[in-house]
Amino acid sequence: MTRGSTAVSGTIQMNTVKRRVKKGSADSLLIVLTTILAVFGMVMVFSASYYNAINDNGTPYSYLWKQAFFVFSGYIIMYVVANMNYGVWKKFAYPLAVIGFVLLVLLLTPMGVTYNGATRWLYLGIGGVGFTIMPGELAKFFLIIFCATYFASDMSRARKLTGILPILAYTAIVGALIIKQPNLSTAITVVIISIGVAFLAGMHWRYILLMVGGAVAGAYYLFFIDKGYWHERVISFMDPFADELGSGYQVVQGLLALGSGGLYGKGLGQSVQKNLYLPEPQNDFILAIIGEELGFLGILALMIVYALIVWRIFYIAIKSKDNFGMLLSAGVAIMIGAQVVLNVAVVTSSMPPTGIALPFVSYGGNALWIFMVLIGIVLNVSKYQVVDEEGDA
């Protein structure tokens, strides 16, 4: 009789699926997608910063060389991390959570660097020799490690209110400190990461509603009760053209860039808004320049690449050999996806304007290096994948 028969010599033959962990090489598709975004980012940073670079430094290449350094050093970092066993991050989860909190508190001290009304940078150095870091960016990275470690050690925690309270408390404290900078979009990203990882760990819907409800209540207070910074931002967001030379200036210039790009764009390097109209076009509003130069189709192609990278990381998470690898990878996918959505929302005036980098594309070393570390972690997870094999029992 054949392999699929139900009876052979008086016994029952069944096809079963055996699962085993297969060690292989890092996921090549994820590397390719990351490279596409990083190289595209260098090209667009050069284009977007062209006139700013001449105005600031006397040469159009200053931002390009810096971004190239960030990218190539980022690849070295990614390679090193990809060859570290991802399980080692468990040992540092709780210390990193404490360090993230301390760094955010230090922003409230004279060590905090204020630029354009926001205190998001921390200066570390002595005698004028040092460097700046962005604790808000590090906080997102540390939160992923913390949540993944916390829930992976006991997945039942996600199904009990007492189990998720530590995550709720830490997220609320970190989110409040980030809003204090002020940086709403990064605070929203922190909340999304916590909810997403907890949900994948098995958190019940009613607890998700509790977290979302708390976030909505906090936003309502900031926007409509407290007549401070965020109230003014919301007023500006609701009608940016009401004060197009004041609070709504950056949003208006971004919308003009997107609108003038049309379907096909004006062509690479042909943006008008980057000519000292749109402030810091190589940073958080670089998507507006992409839309102006490459059009709707260029943005659509970019969004497809982002969708593919998020899908691929989730695929790696599903195939992970353990819960820690699954939650770790999923947290990275959630962070990247959330930042893309929030950046698009800010640039298109779908939410109040607040600084958030477009992953791998916006100018800057802090955010890019952190993304490269996260991709390196996911690449290491991808080396230990569960495969299904059919067998007979």
Side-chain angles (χ1 to χ4, degrees):
M1 300 180 68
T2 63
R3 179 180 175 86
S5 299
T6 57
V8 178
S9 302
T11 64
I12 301 296
Q13 185 181 49
M14 300 173 60
N15 287 335
T16 61
V17 176
K18 298 179 180 179
R19 310 196 75 191
R20 68 179 180 88
V21 176
K22 179 182 179 182
K23 188 177 186 302
S25 56
D27 190 89
S28 57
L29 179 56
L30 181 57
I31 296 174
V32 170
L33 292 170
T34 301
T35 301
I36 290 173
L37 289 176
V39 172
F40 178 73
M42 281 195 296
V43 172
M44 290 313 305
V45 164
F46 176 50
S47 178
S49 67
Y50 192 89
Y51 296 110
N52 254 16
I54 293 175
N55 185 60
D56 296 340
N57 305 298
T59 171
Y61 303 106
S62 58
Y63 287 102
L64 172 63
W65 297 136
K66 290 178 183 178
Q67 188 69 4
F69 169 74
F70 296 147
V71 169
F72 289 117
S73 58
Y75 267 94
I76 295 173
I77 295 170
M78 184 181 75
Y79 176 80
V80 171
V81 175
N83 286 282
M84 293 170 49
N85 190 304
Y86 67 89
V88 74
W89 292 100
K90 289 182 182 180
K91 300 177 182 178
F92 302 105
Y94 297 105
L96 287 176
V98 173
I99 291 172
F101 167 75
V102 171
L103 291 177
L104 289 170
V105 171
L106 287 177
L107 284 175
L108 306 178
T109 72
M111 294 177 65
V113 178
T114 302
Y115 180 72
N116 285 340
T119 309
R120 299 172 186 168
W121 298 266
L122 195 64
Y123 178 77
L124 301 177
I126 300 176
V129 179
F131 57 94
T132 58
I133 62 173
M134 296 182 70
E137 296 297 323
L138 288 170
K140 292 179 289 187
F141 168 37
F142 296 162
L143 181 64
I144 293 173
I145 304 295
F146 175 49
C147 288
T149 301
Y150 179 79
F151 287 120
S153 62
D154 183 1
M155 295 289 276
S156 67
R157 287 173 169 172
R159 297 188 291 274
K160 298 178 291 187
L161 181 59
T162 53
I164 64 170
L165 277 178
I167 297 297
L168 286 174
Y170 184 77
T171 302
I173 294 171
V174 168
L177 288 171
I178 293 174
I179 288 176
K180 185 71 176 176
Q181 295 178 5
N183 193 339
L184 180 63
S185 50
T186 297
I188 293 173
T189 305
V190 164
V191 173
I192 292 174
I193 290 170
S194 293
I195 294 176
V197 174
F199 173 72
L200 292 173
M203 184 171 67
H204 194 277
W205 277 103
R206 62 175 175 267
Y207 300 139
I208 295 178
L209 295 176
L210 175 66
M211 295 181 74
V212 172
V216 170
Y220 182 82
Y221 174 80
L222 287 173
F223 295 159
F224 303 108
I225 306 288
D226 181 21
K227 303 295 184 179
Y229 176 87
W230 288 113
H231 178 74
E232 296 300 322
R233 282 278 178 157
V234 169
I235 298 300
S236 171
F237 149 70
M238 294 176 69
D239 187 8
F241 288 90
D243 188 14
E244 58 185 300
L245 296 179
S247 59
Y249 181 78
Q250 188 175 35
V251 173
V252 168
Q253 297 304 315
L255 291 174
L256 289 174
L258 286 172
S260 62
L263 183 62
Y264 301 105
K266 296 178 177 178
L268 187 62
Q270 302 304 309
S271 166
V272 173
Q273 296 305 119
K274 71 183 181 185
N275 190 9
L276 305 182
Y277 290 105
L278 180 63
E280 304 293 338
Q282 69 277 1
N283 293 337
D284 303 332
F285 270 71
I286 196 170
L287 186 70
I289 304 302
I290 295 172
E292 185 179 7
E293 295 190 348
L294 304 181
F296 173 78
L297 293 181
I299 291 180
L300 178 62
L302 178 61
M303 293 302 113
I304 289 174
V305 176
Y306 278 125
L308 287 174
I309 202 169
V310 170
W311 159 76
R312 195 61 187 178
I313 295 174
F314 270 124
Y315 176 83
I316 292 170
I318 292 171
K319 293 291 186 178
S320 175
K321 69 175 183 177
D322 56 23
N323 289 329
F324 180 63
M326 182 270 289
L327 295 176
L328 201 56
S329 300
V332 175
I334 291 168
M335 176 176 163
I336 293 174
Q339 286 209 200
V340 171
V341 171
L342 290 172
N343 183 272
V344 172
V346 167
V347 174
T348 58
S349 191
S350 301
M351 68 173 285
T354 177
I356 187 165
L358 188 63
F360 304 99
V361 176
S362 291
Y363 170 77
N366 276 266
L368 182 59
W369 284 335
I370 289 171
F371 278 120
M372 287 302 198
V373 169
L374 292 172
I375 292 297
I377 292 173
V378 176
L379 287 174
N380 187 261
V381 174
S382 72
K383 293 182 179 182
Y384 304 91
Q385 299 288 278
V386 172
V387 295
D388 296 336
E389 297 178 333
E390 287 191 356
D392 297 331

